[in-house]
Amino acid sequence: MSAFLPAPSRRGARAVARALPVLAIGVAVAIPVAASAGSSYKPNTSVGHAPGHARNVIMFLGDGMGDSEITVARNYAVGAAGRLPGLDAFHNQGEYTTFAVREDAPASPDYVTDSAASGTGWATGRKTSNGRISTTAGTDRDLPTILEIAKAAGMRTGDVSTAELTDATPAVLASHVSARGCQGPADMAACPQDAKQNGGPGSIAEQEVDHNVDVLLGGGQGRFTQLNTGGKYTGQSVVAQAQAKGYQYVTTAADLAATKAGPFKKVLGLFSAGNMDLELTGPAAVPYPGNPAARCTTNAARTATAPHLADMTTKALDLLSTKRGPGFFLQVEGASIDKQDHAANVCGQIGETLAFDEAIQAGLAYQATHPDTLVVVTADHGHTSQIVEAQTDTDHSPGDIVTVTTADGQPMIVNYATNLHGRSQSHTGTEVRIVASGPQSDRVMGTTDQTDLFRTFRAALGL
Ligand code: MG
Ligand code: ZN
């Protein structure tokens, strides 16, 4: 499970790139990087026009995964001339704009979005202001989400993340609150109107359970163990609420693996108190002159009983997949690409990007045997990390830098300079990559907007 890229040898970069057989962070079946030979899934064949209807949608969301974050991970893991077997496997590719709108002037753009407003974009097809979860800017009205629409059509639904399940990206599909911080029943100070005792739908955790999302996997026990303060389950935890509503509750990879695919029963899997642990660790980014070049290492402090993102993805697909009738809508988030970009932690960021890549590989493997599945991979906003030139005494970044040795055996200097040293780095307002394969995947091509993805889902599913 801990198979990790070998240290680069002294051979030339091309030889090293070719010699690297696998990209593996804890997934059972590693996929050869060298495209076709030996792959356990067929390369996606959607090129250009992709007609037909999708029974299923798998939406992969890399939080804060701009082009730069993808390139950092690619250089590190497979070299500059290598290709990541998940992220780089798609032909139908576009860019989409991600801006939010202003709370006090909803007709005006806010150029840098957060995950709440951006997620609301693809979840509902509508722009909102930063911090809002599927509610309208200024007027605080609930917006119907693609998960709710899919559910109403009889589809199964899943929401998977390496963050707390109540974090913004998983939240936008199955809850409506005015402030993203309202994650558990004890966190409602910023949105009292949404609390159940005040006639609202409750915290994000309560709403996710009340939405009967069939598969909920991620972190965030600390939100779900809070006690309901209003409604039918007053005085009981959200976990107890879920169990009363028919959920199997699991907290380890082994227990998750033991859940049965049918007759179908809902699953709530919470594998950490807060966000799930990181895959990789390594040198910190600091002001010039920085650190000697180093490789990242496996995070020994990672909770051993927790599943990896690819494990959760594979299990979610197993639980959601049906032979007949309506299909499923599943979202899978690699959440801590963003969180480690904020923290200027390059190895943390790389490890989460590679774990996300492995989850995508699991999705593509499913699609290979279920071609009526639309797979979309995108991000919610750009972020800080930039690959920069060699730094000198006279010319160097005023921010933090960190140097890692890539699969090419070369130093890669990564710069974090959207905030002061030691402070949280900032999102950026750039457009980001969107790729897709399967029915209607050509709709992501060209330059689109985040809200267009909601319409792509509806068109593909015929909803
Ligand atoms: Mg997120
Ligand atoms: Zn962020």
Side-chain angles (χ1 to χ4, degrees):
M1 294 292 278
S2 61
F4 184 61
L5 292 170
S9 72
R10 289 189 180 172
R11 286 170 292 164
R14 289 178 57 109
V16 172
R18 251 183 280 113
L20 286 172
V22 294
L23 168 68
I25 294 184
V27 75
V29 181
I31 306 299
V33 171
S36 46
S39 292
S40 65
Y41 65 86
K42 291 195 179 73
N44 137 57
T45 52
S46 293
V47 181
H49 185 50
H53 266 242
R55 266 187 87 229
N56 313 306
V57 168
I58 313 174
M59 158 69 167
F60 287 100
L61 190 283
D63 201 309
M65 190 189 68
D67 286 352
S68 185
E69 284 69 27
I70 296 171
T71 310
V72 166
R74 183 193 300 116
N75 287 350
Y76 178 82
V78 295
R83 291 295 177 263
L84 293 166
L87 281 160
D88 292 332
F90 296 79
H91 298 285
N92 286 355
Q93 175 165 343
E95 292 269 317
Y96 71 11
T97 48
T98 66
F99 63 94
V101 297
R102 288 173 50 175
E103 174 72 8
D104 59 351
S108 299
D110 184 336
Y111 294 113
V112 182
T113 189
D114 79 337
S115 298
S118 62
T120 297
W122 72 78
T124 73
R126 293 278 299 276
K127 294 281 184 189
T128 193
S129 59
N130 284 338
R132 285 193 168 277
I133 301 290
S134 295
T135 53
T136 54
T139 48
D140 196 28
R141 290 194 316 274
D142 292 358
L143 293 164
T145 74
I146 187 65
L147 183 143
E148 292 167 339
I149 293 165
K151 191 114 194 144
M155 296 176 69
R156 289 178 177 178
T157 56
D159 205 354
V160 174
S161 177
T162 51
E164 296 182 276
L165 267 176
T166 50
D167 204 8
T169 309
V172 294
L173 290 173
S175 65
H176 308 271
V177 291
S178 61
R180 59 182 290 172
C182 301
Q183 297 186 52
D187 304 321
M188 299 300 285
C191 39
Q193 78 282 6
D194 292 320
K196 279 189 176 172
Q197 63 269 32
N198 297 329
S203 66
I204 292 166
E206 293 163 78
Q207 291 190 55
E208 287 177 340
V209 167
D210 283 339
H211 271 70
N212 290 302
V213 180
D214 298 293
V215 178
L216 288 167
L217 304 177
Q221 289 165 1
R223 311 292 182 176
F224 287 80
T225 53
Q226 294 177 16
L227 305 183
N228 278 271
T229 54
K232 183 177 174 186
Y233 300 98
T234 299
Q236 296 183 53
S237 71
V238 185
V239 169
Q241 172 192 347
Q243 289 170 318
K245 293 174 74 73
Y247 277 90
Q248 305 170 73
Y249 176 55
V250 296
T251 58
T252 66
D255 287 347
L256 175 63
T259 56
K260 292 288 192 300
F264 194 74
K265 223 179 150 193
K266 293 171 290 187
V267 177
L268 172 64
L270 299 174
F271 308 103
S272 59
N275 299 319
M276 293 180 70
D277 294 335
L278 302 178
E279 301 284 356
L280 295 182
T281 187
V286 293
Y288 180 81
N291 64 299
R295 289 290 285 178
C296 304
T297 53
T298 300
N299 177 20
R302 185 182 188 279
T303 302
T305 55
H308 299 274
L309 185 57
D311 302 331
M312 294 196 288
T313 303
T314 299
K315 188 63 186 185
L317 291 167
D318 177 39
L319 291 166
L320 293 170
S321 193
T322 55
K323 287 200 167 57
R324 283 175 293 281
F328 63 81
F329 180 93
L330 169 64
Q331 179 175 290
V332 176
E333 182 196 21
S336 290
I337 304 166
D338 166 82
K339 295 179 194 304
Q340 296 315 304
D341 223 323
H342 280 298
N345 176 4
V346 74
C347 286
Q349 176 189 317
I350 289 170
E352 298 311 295
T353 310
L354 298 179
F356 184 59
D357 193 87
E358 295 192 351
I360 295 165
Q361 293 172 49
L364 289 172
Y366 181 87
Q367 187 191 47
T369 52
H370 301 79
D372 52 358
T373 302
L374 171 65
V375 176
V376 176
V377 183
T378 189
D380 53 356
H381 53 73
H383 220 306
T384 304
S385 63
Q386 291 289 334
I387 304 162
V388 295
E389 298 174 28
Q391 309 276 290
T392 69
D393 286 349
T394 49
D395 293 289
H396 57 254
S397 168
D400 290 339
I401 54 170
V402 58
T403 304
V404 289
T405 303
T406 67
D408 300 313
Q410 297 297 312
M412 171 172 64
I413 305 168
V414 181
N415 180 36
Y416 294 86
T418 54
N419 202 346
L420 303 172
H421 173 72
R423 304 290 300 169
S424 179
Q425 299 291 321
S426 167
H427 298 176
T428 59
T430 181
E431 65 203 49
V432 295
R433 182 207 262 205
I434 178 168
V435 296
S437 63
Q440 303 299 322
S441 59
D442 54 325
R443 287 173 178 263
V444 307
M445 297 169 75
T447 303
T448 61
D449 182 77
Q450 205 149 48
T451 53
D452 293 323
L453 182 51
F454 172 77
R455 288 174 278 281
T456 294
F457 292 146
R458 294 194 70 164
L461 294 168
L463 297 175

